[in-house]
Structure formats: C-alpha cells, structure tokens
C-alpha cells in the first residue's frame, strides 16, 4: 500500500524542523541526505549536526546547519536555480528542490512587484536554507511517501526582523504561500511558520486539509524548533502511514444550495456562467418543494479540489443564495478512450460503449435520421 505523510504542526514548521522530523521518523534517510547534500556541493559550505534533545519532556531530533565563514553569497533566484540545475545529483531531488524554491520565488515576486527571475532573496537564501530545501527534497524522494497532508496551522503573531525592517507575522511571502490552508490561532506569539516551511507545505500538500486519510501508522518523527513557546512544546510531528488509496478515482469539491427566488431563465444563465469557470467540473439542479409548498431549485456544483474559495465566490456572485453546503467527495471516473471529438467513448466492466453528443445531431433532419445516425456512429466506435 502507498505511504502517506502527515505533518502535525504543533509548534510550527521550518526547513530544519522538517528535516529533523524526517530523520527522527526514518533514521535510514540520514545517509542519503548527506550523500545528496554532498553531490550538490552544499556540504562544502555547511556542517550538518543531528542531535537528540528533550523538549517539555519529549524526546526529539534537532538538526543544526552551520554555515562556514567563507561561504559565497547565494542571494539571487536565477543563481540558485543555476546552482541546483548544474549539480551532478539525483534528478528527482533537483526537480523537487527547484519546485520548492520556485514557490518561494513566486511569492516573493508578488510581494515586491518584480519579475520572478529578478527576485533577490534575503532571509531565505543563505547556505543553511539551501541545505534545508535540498535536504527536504532528498528526504521526500528517498522516503517513498506518495501523498501528504497537514494539520491546521498556527499563524503566530508579532513582528519579525527582515532586510526590509520589522514585518508582521506571518511574513508577507508566508501568507501568500498559505492560501487555502486551514489556520488555527492558539495565542502563542512569534513566527511559527517560516517562508521555507510554508513553501514545503505548498509544494507537498496538493489539497490542504486538516485531517489525514485513514490508514495504518508505521512511523512517527518529532523535531523541535529553536524557540520556546509559553504553553506548548515547539515541535513538529511527522506521521508516516500506509493508506488504502483508490487510484482509479479522485477527490472533488461539492457545493450544494437551494434557491426559491430566481426564475428558471435566470438560473439557466447563472449555471452557464458557473460552468464557464476553468475550476468547475459540472453544475446542475433538480426541482424540489420547500415550506408553504413553494417550489425551489436544488443546485449542485462540482469543482476541482483546492479551489474551494473560488467556487464559493462564484456561486455567491452568480446566484441569489445566501448560504452553501460544502464537502469533499471521492468520485470514480471511467477510462476515456480515443474517439472523434463529438463522441464519448469509455471502457466499462462489460466492454466499450460510445455516446454521440446531441449537439452533433442538430443539423440532421427528422427524428428517424437522427436516431439512425446516432446508432451507426455509436456502433462504429464500440466495435
């Protein structure tokens, strides 16, 4: 069964905390971690120390990355990308490290209003951050974990010192990276999620949810951050589980709501507008009856997972509803086979079936001819 990783962000998450959680859960990754950092040339400029500690009575792993005094600067994104690309290293690790850095660069570019290639990193691009990001990429690739989730995230509060002065917590780039993730304020102050930690979550967790899928827990790793919190341990936990994932299906977001104050014509136009959105899979309705015998339209909209906010805004803008029901549901989709553009051809358990689009029959005169044309086309594509 495939492996799933779940980050339980108790105290916070950063690059070195993520590394520590990996090594604590899966100690065998230490050798591949050091091998990959050496292949990228990172160990020429940093030393990596792995040590055990106790934090509020818990046994944890902490990783320290110390930069040597004569390490050259690594501030610009195009320099970092070139450094990673030219390394004689594991191509999968390279690709994932670039993905994490790209999310950082895009967030920084949006914050400062500059092109991505012109991004000049300050706090996140020293050699210790390179070690964190390449190290996390190494651990992810060699762990064999295929899917990821995370708990609700503590936003923290206060100010953080940056090259641009004191900025609010979470830092502006971190806020952009955490769009779509669930936040839960625990009243602990300070920077709880670093830009690097946020970029790791953004890259790995494709559908942010607070709950991990059901499965069988194999390993757990606990790491600690440098700061101490007032009410709880500043730790990050990593759960590694075996999960039964049906790869023949996927997850979609479903919005449902009822309307009794729009006409059928208005609703038809609204649903056409909703279906036009690129993140909408389908939209439709059936007729029901509400209080005092009033007729109502029961609407259901299916969208691509991860676009919940966009779906909500769209439905509120296009319809008169003042409330929505939202849930994620698992769906199964039949395998689509090659066919002419106007024909849906799928593989069913009992064989291949085909269905011609009704719009393709509109130009054919008489019902008999339309049925004959439909039958012939479908039989041709089913054989």
């Amino acid at each position: 069964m495939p492996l799933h990783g779940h980050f339980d962000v108790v105290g916070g998450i950063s690059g070195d905390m993520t590394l520590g959680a990996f090594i604590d859960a899966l100690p065998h990754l230490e050798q591949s971690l050091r091998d990959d950092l050496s292949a990228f040339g990172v160990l020429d400029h940093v030393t990596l120390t792995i040590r055990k500690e106790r934090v509020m009575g818990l046994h944890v792993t902490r990783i320290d990355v110390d930069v040597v005094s004569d390490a050259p600067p690594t501030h610009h994104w195009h320099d970092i990308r070139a450094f990673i690309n030219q390394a004689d290293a594991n191509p999968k690790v390279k690709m994932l490290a670039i993905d994490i850095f790209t999310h950082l660069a895009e967030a920084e570019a949006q914050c400062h209003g500059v092109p991505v290639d012109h991004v000049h990193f300050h706090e996140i691009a020293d050699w210790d951050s390179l070690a964190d990001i390449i190290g996390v990429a190494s651990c992810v690739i060699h762990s064999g974990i295929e899917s990821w989730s995370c708990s609700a995230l503590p936003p923290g509060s206060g100010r953080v010192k940056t090259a641009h002065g004191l900025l609010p917590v979470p830092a502006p780039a971190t806020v952009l990276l955490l769009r779509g993730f669930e936040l839960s304020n625990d009243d602990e102050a300070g920077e709880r999620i670093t830009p690097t930690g946020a970029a790791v979550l953004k890259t790995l967790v494709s559908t942010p949810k607070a709950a991990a899928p059901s499965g069988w827990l194999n390993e757990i790793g606990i790491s600690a951050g440098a700061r101490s919190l007032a009410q709880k341990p500043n730790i990050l936990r990593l759960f590694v589980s075996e999960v039964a994932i049906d790869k023949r299906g996927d997850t979609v977001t479903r919005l449902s709501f009822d309307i009794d104050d729009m006409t059928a014509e208005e609703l038809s136009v609204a649903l056409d507008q909703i279906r036009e959105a690129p993140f909408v899979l389908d939209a439709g309705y059936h007729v029901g009856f509400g209080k005092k015998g009033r007729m109502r339209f029961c609407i259901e909209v299916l969208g691509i997972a991860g676009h919940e906010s966009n779906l909500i805004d769209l439905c509120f803008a296009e319809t008169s509803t003042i409330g929505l029901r939202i849930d994620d549901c698992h769906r199964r989709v039949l395998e689509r086979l090659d066919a002419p553009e106007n024909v849906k051809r799928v593989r069913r358990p009992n064989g291949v079936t085909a269905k011609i689009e009704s719009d393709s029959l509109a130009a054919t005169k008489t019902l008999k001819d339309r049925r004959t044309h439909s039958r012939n086309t479908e039989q041709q594509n089913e054989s």
Side-chain angles (χ1 to χ4, degrees), residues 5-259:
H6 179 76
F7 291 111
D8 182 23
V9 186
V10 178
I13 183 170
S14 62
D16 57 347
M17 291 177 75
T18 307
L19 272 183
F22 268 113
I23 298 303
D24 198 59
L26 305 167
H28 67 277
L29 294 179
E30 180 181 350
Q31 188 58 56
S32 57
L33 167 64
R34 293 186 180 276
D35 289 344
D36 283 332
L37 290 177
S38 179
F40 279 93
V42 175
L43 290 186
D44 294 340
H45 305 289
V46 306
T47 59
L48 191 73
T49 304
I50 301 175
R51 53 194 173 93
K52 300 291 186 179
E53 286 188 359
R54 287 193 180 276
V55 175
M56 295 183 71
L58 299 174
H59 194 227
V60 304
T61 294
R62 194 192 298 276
I63 291 186
D64 295 321
V65 179
D66 298 308
V67 183
V68 299
S69 58
D70 60 348
T74 61
H75 289 316
H76 289 89
W77 166 226
H78 57 81
D79 295 329
I80 295 170
R81 186 174 56 213
F83 171 81
I84 295 173
N85 275 325
Q86 69 189 11
D88 183 15
N90 186 312
K92 292 183 179 179
V93 176
K94 291 168 68 170
M95 184 179 302
L96 183 54
I98 288 176
D99 284 347
I100 297 172
F101 258 119
T102 298
H103 281 123
L104 277 171
E106 290 174 345
E108 291 287 348
Q110 186 172 344
C111 285
H112 301 298
V114 299
V116 173
D117 276 350
H118 294 177
V119 165
H120 180 275
F121 290 125
H122 295 284
E123 290 73 29
I124 61 171
D126 289 332
W127 285 100
D128 54 349
S129 293
L130 264 169
D132 288 343
I133 290 176
I134 293 174
V136 169
S138 171
C139 290
V140 170
I141 296 302
H142 294 292
S143 70
I145 298 174
E146 297 183 19
S147 59
W148 299 88
S149 59
C150 68
S151 66
L153 305 174
S157 62
R159 299 290 186 269
V160 61
K161 186 177 181 181
T162 75
H164 304 286
L166 291 176
L167 293 178
V169 171
T174 301
V175 171
L176 293 176
L177 289 163
L178 294 183
R179 280 178 175 168
F181 286 83
E182 181 180 350
L183 303 181
S184 178
N185 191 2
D186 58 6
D187 296 323
E188 292 275 9
E191 185 179 33
R192 311 287 296 282
I193 303 171
T194 67
T196 300
V200 168
L201 293 177
K202 177 73 172 180
T203 306
L204 297 182
V205 183
S206 58
T207 305
K209 285 184 177 181
S214 301
W216 294 264
L217 182 62
N218 282 359
E219 306 291 348
I220 180 172
I222 308 177
S223 65
R227 293 177 53 251
S228 295
L229 302 178
Q231 304 175 62
K232 62 175 60 176
N234 186 17
I235 61 172
L236 171 69
R237 300 197 297 175
L238 171 62
F239 299 107
V240 181
S241 304
E242 291 184 72
V243 294
I245 297 177
D246 186 351
K247 293 188 175 181
R248 296 172 295 179
D250 62 358
T251 299
V252 296
T253 298
R254 177 173 56 194
L255 274 62
S256 55
F257 51 96
D258 299 335
I259 288 175

